């Protein structure tokens, strides 16, 4: 027997009882989630430090504040989001009520990764609650301290009839995915994403996949090298490079590379000091397994900056690699660490061709003082998101959708887009049970004259809304 059947039955019963439908219930749960963040702020910061040695500045900015913003946006706008959305009608349906109703799917499963273990669990949860769903949360077992907090502390703030947390690793996740959910939201690697998608297909469950990929960063000759270095270094080494939207490699000309290298050295020294290992502002690699994988990638090309490592501390120095080949291991997978390869190209055209030969990335960046160059990269490539002359600050704009395309994922979320993701837009038409004489012309036996009239009525619309219900 599946060990999670009882948990799902409890949540399904709660959902079908209508418990999550009232606006008051959703607002109360969102407010409780906000209290969870406020009352446990220090605990959460300490937990993130235990798992990733994440600096409090980075943790506050990328984990707690963004979650609080999502909750506040939902609280401020939920009364508008849940309203039926009227639609334009043709003349045949002018006396009817036609609208889109935003319905919750039912019991949703949210599977979160370890690199931003709070943000990437709670931001989808905010939208799922706002949409009226019950939710099973599956935090990552790799971020052990945060997994424990999610399991032990978060349930005190949420209705346990409607929300549950499942712990464990791949074995438990595999058993969990055998169950039929009404929606699955997964954030993680493309490899595991395929497994999740295959499991969802068994029940034809709708799904959102937030995956990763190798995010290109083109640096034009027409730029200020130090400005570019400051911005690229901060976004690449933020959270020790363990960010799905971080620039994964740089494309630039040989001349720009020679200007960029000393600028990157200055940026790293300015940010983390002469010995970054002693800096309180540099996170650590999440686990020994990931550390060993990253240390193996240091053998690609030639180390131009950094390259030091300490297995006991799970420390990898901010590193820049040059003379990297397309076939090197560092170019075959998402790096997910503080390593930045630089590859040389002849110019923007060659960079675009290089990018288009590969899978569509989750994020793409272009740096240039010439806006035409930035727009050229934007217009001639495809990616989940795009940053011109900056890194992943687009993640802070919750009015903008976030999501991948193709290999980097499917679906989008953040702000209202998360509410929409967890809502089924149900098309509805309500017609009066009376006035049957109006419908007679559509019934058999058919006549040519009636056919022409019906076609005309279907093709024409009135701008003035009218309803008899």
């Amino acid at each position: 027997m599946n060990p999670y059947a009882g948990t799902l039955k409890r949540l399904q019963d709660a959902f079908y009882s209508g418990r999550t439908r009232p606006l008051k219930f959703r607002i109360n749960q969102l407010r409780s989630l906000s209290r969870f963040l406020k009352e446990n702020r220090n605990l959460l910061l300490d937990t993130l430090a235990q798992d990733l040695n994440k600096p409090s500045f980075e943790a506050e900015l990328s984990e707690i504040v963004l979650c609080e913003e999502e909750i506040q946006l939902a609280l401020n706008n939920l009364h508008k989001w849940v309203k039926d959305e009227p639609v334009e009608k043709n003349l045949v349906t002018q006396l009817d009520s036609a609208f889109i109703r935003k319905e919750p799917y039912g019991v949703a499963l949210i599977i979160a990764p370890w690199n931003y273990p709070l943000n990437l669990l709670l931001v989808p949860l905010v939208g799922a609650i706002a949409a009226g769903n019950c939710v099973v949360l599956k935090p990552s077992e790799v971020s052990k301290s945060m997994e424990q907090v999610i399991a032990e502390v978060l349930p005190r703030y949420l209705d346990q009839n409607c929300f549950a947390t499942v712990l464990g690793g791949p074995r438990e996740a595999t058993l969990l995915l055998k169950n039929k959910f009404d929606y699955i939201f997964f954030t993680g690697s493309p490899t595991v994403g395929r497994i999740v998608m295959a499991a969802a297909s068994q029940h034809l469950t709708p799904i959102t996949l937030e995956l990763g990929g190798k995010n290109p960063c083109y640096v034009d000759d027409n730029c200020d090298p130090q400005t570019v270095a400051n911005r690229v270094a901060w976004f690449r080494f933020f959270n020790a490079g363990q960010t799905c939207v971080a620039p994964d490699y740089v494309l630039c000309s040989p001349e720009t590379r020679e200007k960029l290298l000393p600028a990157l050295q200055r940026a790293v020294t300015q940010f983390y000091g002469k010995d970054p290992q002693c800096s309180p502002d540099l996170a650590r690699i999440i686990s020994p397994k990931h550390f060993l994988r990253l240390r193996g990638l240091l053998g690609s090309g030639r180390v131009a900056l950094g390259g030091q490592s300490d297995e006991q501390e799970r420390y990898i120095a901010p590193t820049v690699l040059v003379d990297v080949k397309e076939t090197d291991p560092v170019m075959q997978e998402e790096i997910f660490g503080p390593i930045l390869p630089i590859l040389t190209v002849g110019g923007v055209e060659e960079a675009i061709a290089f990018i288009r030969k590969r899978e569509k990335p989750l994020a793409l960046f272009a740096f240039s003082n010439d806006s035409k160059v930035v727009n050229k990269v934007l217009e001639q490539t495809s990616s989940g998101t795009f940053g011109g002359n900056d890194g992943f600050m687009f993640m802070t704009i919750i009015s903008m959708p976030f999501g991948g395309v193709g290999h980097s994922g499917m679906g989008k979320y953040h702000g209202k887009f998360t509410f929409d993701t967890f809502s089924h837009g149900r098309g509805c038409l309500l017609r009066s049970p009376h006035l049957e004489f109006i419908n007679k012309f559509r019934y058999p036996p058919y006549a040519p004259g009636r056919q022409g009239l019906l076609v005309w009525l279907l093709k024409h619309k009135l701008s003035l809304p009218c309803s008899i219900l």
Side-chain angles (χ1 to χ4, degrees):
M1 182 175 176
N2 193 295
Y4 306 112
T7 298
L8 263 68
K9 178 67 165 56
R10 184 180 83 244
L11 269 59
Q12 287 166 349
D13 289 346
F15 178 76
Y16 286 117
S17 75
R19 190 180 184 91
T20 62
R21 294 284 186 128
L23 197 60
K24 183 179 179 181
F25 174 87
R26 306 183 200 188
I27 290 172
N28 285 340
Q29 295 301 295
L30 289 171
R31 286 175 176 164
S32 293
L33 196 58
S34 180
R35 287 201 309 275
F36 164 74
L37 292 172
K38 286 182 173 65
E39 294 173 6
N40 298 282
R41 188 178 231 90
N42 290 335
L43 171 64
L44 294 169
L45 292 173
D46 290 344
T47 301
L48 291 164
Q50 290 170 27
D51 284 335
L52 289 148
N53 194 42
K54 190 172 288 195
S56 61
F57 180 93
E58 293 186 3
E60 185 83 31
L61 179 67
S62 63
E63 302 267 15
I64 296 177
V65 171
L66 290 182
C67 290
E68 289 175 331
E69 287 295 295
E70 292 278 352
I71 294 169
Q72 195 57 52
L73 182 72
L75 288 171
N76 291 344
N77 294 279
L78 189 54
H79 66 287
K80 292 186 292 187
W81 293 351
V82 300
K83 284 183 178 179
D84 291 342
E85 181 182 336
V87 297
E88 189 178 38
K89 297 178 287 188
N90 53 44
L91 290 178
V92 176
T93 56
Q94 275 302 306
L95 296 179
D96 306 328
S97 293
F99 53 90
I100 300 170
R101 175 153 294 176
K102 286 68 174 286
E103 292 190 340
Y105 278 101
V107 178
L109 170 63
I110 297 174
I111 303 176
W114 51 262
N115 58 324
Y116 291 88
L118 188 67
N119 179 316
L120 298 178
L121 187 76
L122 294 196
V123 171
L125 177 61
V126 170
I129 290 174
N133 296 277
C134 290
V135 183
V136 173
L137 297 169
K138 171 61 180 73
S140 173
E141 77 286 357
V142 179
S143 46
K144 298 182 185 302
S145 300
M146 184 58 74
E147 181 192 40
Q148 185 177 355
V149 170
I150 296 299
E152 297 178 2
V153 182
L154 182 60
R156 302 173 198 166
Y157 293 84
L158 298 176
D159 187 324
Q160 295 188 41
N161 289 310
C162 304
F163 304 96
T165 301
V166 170
L167 306 182
R171 178 182 174 277
E172 288 77 12
T174 300
L175 288 172
L176 184 62
L177 286 167
K178 290 183 182 296
N179 295 276
K180 183 181 185 301
F181 290 92
D182 298 297
Y183 201 94
I184 296 176
F185 190 105
F186 170 79
T187 305
S189 69
T191 300
V192 181
R194 290 187 180 92
I195 296 171
V196 174
M197 192 171 185
S201 71
Q202 298 302 307
H203 303 289
L204 296 179
T205 301
I207 187 170
T208 291
L209 296 176
E210 293 297 337
L211 310 178
K214 297 193 69 64
N215 304 317
C217 177
Y218 173 67
V219 179
D220 190 40
D221 288 344
N222 183 4
C223 71
D224 174 49
Q226 193 59 59
T227 298
V228 174
N230 293 342
R231 298 179 186 185
V232 170
W234 188 55
F235 289 113
R236 172 70 272 188
F237 304 131
F238 191 98
N239 198 34
Q242 298 164 118
T243 304
C244 61
V245 288
D248 210 70
Y249 61 93
V250 166
L251 296 171
C252 65
S253 69
E255 295 77 17
T256 294
R257 186 188 76 174
E258 295 314 304
K259 297 175 185 176
L260 205 53
L261 285 172
L264 285 166
Q265 177 68 76
R266 286 190 293 270
V268 169
T269 302
Q270 180 183 345
F271 295 169
Y272 308 111
K274 292 183 178 179
D275 183 3
Q277 189 170 0
C278 298
S279 172
D281 298 320
L282 187 65
R284 294 296 186 264
I285 307 307
I286 184 68
S287 70
K289 175 184 174 183
H290 287 273
F291 170 85
L292 293 173
R293 179 185 65 82
L294 287 167
R295 192 168 66 179
L297 296 180
L298 294 174
S300 298
R302 174 174 61 85
V303 174
L305 168 64
Q308 300 85 2
S309 64
D310 184 330
E311 185 171 359
Q312 185 175 354
E313 274 198 30
R314 305 195 310 276
Y315 166 76
I316 301 281
T319 298
V320 177
L321 302 176
V322 295
D323 301 332
V324 173
K325 299 175 183 176
E326 293 183 46
T327 54
D328 284 341
V330 78
M331 291 300 295
Q332 304 309 306
E333 60 182 89
E334 184 178 4
I335 296 171
F336 232 61
I339 302 171
L340 182 65
I342 298 180
L343 289 82
T344 57
V345 291
V348 65
E349 297 287 356
E350 190 176 331
I352 290 171
F354 188 94
I355 293 166
R356 287 168 63 169
K357 280 194 303 183
R358 286 155 179 78
E359 298 284 2
K360 295 178 181 180
L362 183 57
L364 197 156
F365 309 95
F367 288 82
S368 177
N369 290 336
D370 185 348
S371 61
K372 291 181 180 178
V373 172
V374 174
N375 285 321
K376 187 181 186 72
V377 179
L378 172 60
E379 291 168 3
Q380 297 188 15
T381 60
S382 178
S383 61
T385 48
F386 182 86
N389 288 314
D390 205 18
F392 48 66
M393 289 305 290
F394 49 71
M395 297 290 287
T396 66
I397 306 174
I398 59 177
S399 58
M400 195 162 64
F402 173 73
V405 56
H407 191 264
S408 56
M410 61 179 70
K412 55 186 179 292
Y413 74 122
H414 285 182
K416 185 177 182 294
F417 297 98
T418 319
F419 171 84
D420 292 338
T421 285
F422 285 99
S423 299
H424 165 58
R426 188 178 187 183
C428 302
L429 183 138
L430 305 181
R431 171 159 286 196
S432 169
H434 310 296
L435 304 176
E436 180 62 6
F437 68 91
I438 296 176
N439 299 321
K440 285 184 177 180
F441 70 93
R442 70 186 181 184
Y443 299 145
Y446 302 121
R450 280 192 260 165
Q451 177 183 335
L453 175 61
L454 184 57
V455 168
W456 186 87
L457 291 170
L458 287 172
K459 288 184 175 181
H460 289 78
K461 300 173 179 65
L462 280 178
S463 58
L464 193 65
C466 178
S467 175
I468 62 172
L469 296 175

